[in-house]
Amino acid sequence: MEPAAPAAHPAAPAVAMRGIRKRFGAVQANDGVDLTVAAGTVHGIVGENGAGKSTLMSVLYGLIQPDAGTIEIDGAPVQVRHSRDAMRHGVGMVHQHFMLVETFSALDNIVLGAEPDWRLPAARAAARQQLEALMRDSGLQVRLDSAVEELPVGERQRLEILKALYRGARILILDEPTAVLTPQETEQLFGTLRQLRARGTTILLITHKLKEIMALTDHVTVMRAGRVVLDCATASTSTDALAQAMVGRRVHLGRGDSTHSAAGGAPLLQASGLTWRDALGVTRLADVSLTLHAGEIVGIAGVSGNGQSELLDALSGLLVPEAGTLAIGGRRFTPAHWLDPATARELHVAHVPEDRHRRGLVLPFAAWESGVLGYHTRPRYAHHGWMQQGAMLADTAQMMERYDVRPRDPRAQSAQFSGGNQQKLVLAREAMPDPKVLLVGQPTRGVDIGAIEFIHGRLRAMRDAGGAVLVVSSELDEIFALADRVLVMTRGRITGEMPIEQCTEAALGCLMGDATPSAGAPATADAATP
């Protein structure tokens, strides 16, 4: 393992990037960017999807070579041609999508590529000793002998940070580190980052969550269209000012039309007694009942992993429960003859999955191919077994226009779009056929604030047109902004229901902890008997 470069004079900035330019075809991703990061601080970098922040950090880490510009580390000019150069200068990066071998142990993932000895048993022993000291100093507790596939998401995040520190990182780049973490895991991560900062580690934090910027960072840089538009101490700004700088206009993320009433709509989907156990015999759905009415958004709150994902799968036909019934559009389904995704679409039920990469898109596909997934057998797209590519291209172009998907190129590879634009493409595909029921999992996970405003507006428009929208979100702010009625799930059960007017963070937190809600707050789910 190559040692990190020695620290320079404390007065020197940890990172100084000057005049960074990078173009990808017609897109100017970085347009003369200057960035200065003080040593031993947490520095936030925010901007819309496609603003250029990930490109800038990829330049710093050596994953991308700039067209122009210079980099200084600890006051000294450096050439970063490869990630090995970055690590040699003490720069480490934790990517949004973890770079781990799931069948390997945590220890072997850390040691892989940085073995201190050519003899594997000796390398493991030496690494273990160093890692145990690192864990004590940093507070990053990881089960070193467990396979990565057995670790929860929060522990995998800690493993990635530990891996970077093991390689000598004094400057740590974190790309959307909380995108897949529960609120509890996020708070634990923040405690760790504060501890690392106290030890002198410099942290560059890329995030879309402005509350996290205000809670954790010392300084913040806002990028828009490849340029820096705001650079200031965090204490001197606000979430509203940051949002306006990011988007170039005032952003509205509140309740929207406060006069909307969801009362009186006809039931469009009714589920009763849904029960399901996973392969290990763990109950994931326990007698779940709910009704979705026309003209309402129902939010499901709760810590991720409490049955929300399985509920979405059961309602969309991806999972067959062991017990329960489902009624949609005058049809009744039982486990012996359950709904399937094709029938769901025929009944005007659409589904935006929680994981857009694994379930919403085929990343190597062109956007027009991803834009018709699941709908490709419709007569407009298939004629006597022949694919009608022209119709698919035309409809995807229309989707991209209506849902502001950038760049508006139906032939571009799905993987080349930013996370927010991928999410808008999936939402456009599911919403354009005007479904009566839309099931949405984590609608704005990893999405910038401008895209959040847009997506929320589309969901409200569907509700106002008489549809029913079910939103599963781990973000309470999103539940408060969207829902007309809130259900809380804990350990596979619906532990309570409240109209949005009665919801408070304290009341929902009480239900999420499976405790008795405060007086006056109803805790009975809207049971249905289809």
Side-chain angles (χ1 to χ4, degrees), residues 269-272 274 285 287-293 296-304 306-309 311-312 315 439-440 442 469-476 478-480 482-504 507-514 517 521-528:
L269 179 151
Q270 295 174 286
S272 180
L274 301 183
L285 293 175
D287 195 29
V288 173
S289 299
L290 61 86
T291 298
L292 303 181
H293 299 273
E296 72 169 349
I297 298 176
V298 176
I300 296 189
V303 177
S304 295
N306 277 271
Q308 302 97 316
S309 300
L311 177 60
L312 283 178
L315 298 179
L439 311 170
V440 189
Q442 309 298 343
V469 182
L470 179 68
V471 173
V472 169
S473 179
S474 58
E475 301 288 342
L476 282 183
E478 184 157 64
I479 295 293
F480 284 122
L482 283 173
D484 303 300
R485 181 163 55 94
V486 180
L487 308 178
V488 178
M489 287 194 73
T490 306
R491 294 196 295 276
R493 296 181 180 276
I494 293 181
T495 54
E497 174 187 347
M498 291 183 183
I500 193 64
E501 295 80 8
Q502 296 182 15
C503 285
T504 65
L508 292 181
C510 181
L511 291 170
M512 288 164 69
D514 206 10
T524 303
D526 185 6

Side-chain angles (χ1 to χ4, degrees), residues 73-282:
I73 302 292
D74 297 325
V78 297
Q79 293 289 328
V80 185
R81 299 183 179 88
H82 192 276
S83 58
R84 286 191 297 268
D85 294 335
M87 287 186 280
R88 187 171 65 252
H89 292 294
V91 180
M93 186 169 185
V94 177
H95 301 270
Q96 180 177 353
H97 302 288
F98 302 148
M99 305 294 185
L100 300 169
V101 182
E102 295 209 348
T103 55
F104 281 16
S105 70
L107 176 62
D108 286 343
N109 268 279
I110 292 171
V111 172
L112 186 64
E115 295 84 352
D117 194 300
W118 65 270
R119 297 165 298 174
L120 192 55
R124 282 196 179 109
R128 184 185 298 275
Q129 185 176 7
Q130 184 176 348
L131 287 165
E132 287 174 349
L134 262 177
M135 287 192 289
R136 285 194 302 271
D137 292 344
S138 67
L140 289 162
Q141 294 303 312
V142 174
R143 290 169 288 173
L144 296 176
D145 295 315
S146 295
V148 167
E149 61 189 358
E150 299 172 358
L151 302 179
V153 172
E155 195 164 353
R156 296 186 195 197
Q157 180 73 267
R158 296 196 295 273
L159 169 59
E160 285 279 26
I161 297 173
L162 194 62
K163 184 170 70 172
L165 296 177
Y166 174 77
R167 285 162 166 74
R170 297 172 290 101
I171 300 166
L172 194 59
I173 305 167
L174 302 179
D175 188 1
E176 297 290 349
T178 66
V180 294
L181 299 186
T182 66
Q184 291 86 342
E185 289 169 334
T186 296
E187 190 53 44
Q188 187 176 26
L189 173 64
F190 282 10
T192 297
L193 296 181
R194 292 185 183 103
Q195 196 167 339
L196 290 174
R197 176 177 58 186
R199 294 177 59 224
T201 303
T202 302
I203 299 166
L204 288 88
L205 178 68
I206 304 173
T207 181
H208 292 115
K209 300 177 181 179
L210 298 184
K211 282 189 174 181
E212 295 181 357
I213 291 291
M214 300 305 297
L216 186 65
T217 65
D218 304 293
H219 200 95
V220 59
T221 297
V222 181
M223 295 185 66
R224 187 171 74 240
R227 297 181 178 181
V228 172
V229 295
L230 180 66
D231 186 75
C232 64
T234 305
S236 68
T237 188
S238 66
T239 55
D240 287 344
L242 292 176
Q244 187 164 344
M246 287 169 62
V247 182
R249 57 177 173 78
R250 190 169 182 182
V251 179
H252 301 279
L253 291 177
R255 284 285 303 157
D257 182 5
S258 60
T259 64
H260 173 80
S261 173
L268 298 181
L269 179 151
Q270 295 174 286
S272 180
L274 301 183
T275 300
W276 184 77
R277 291 171 295 177
D278 64 18
L280 299 176
V282 178

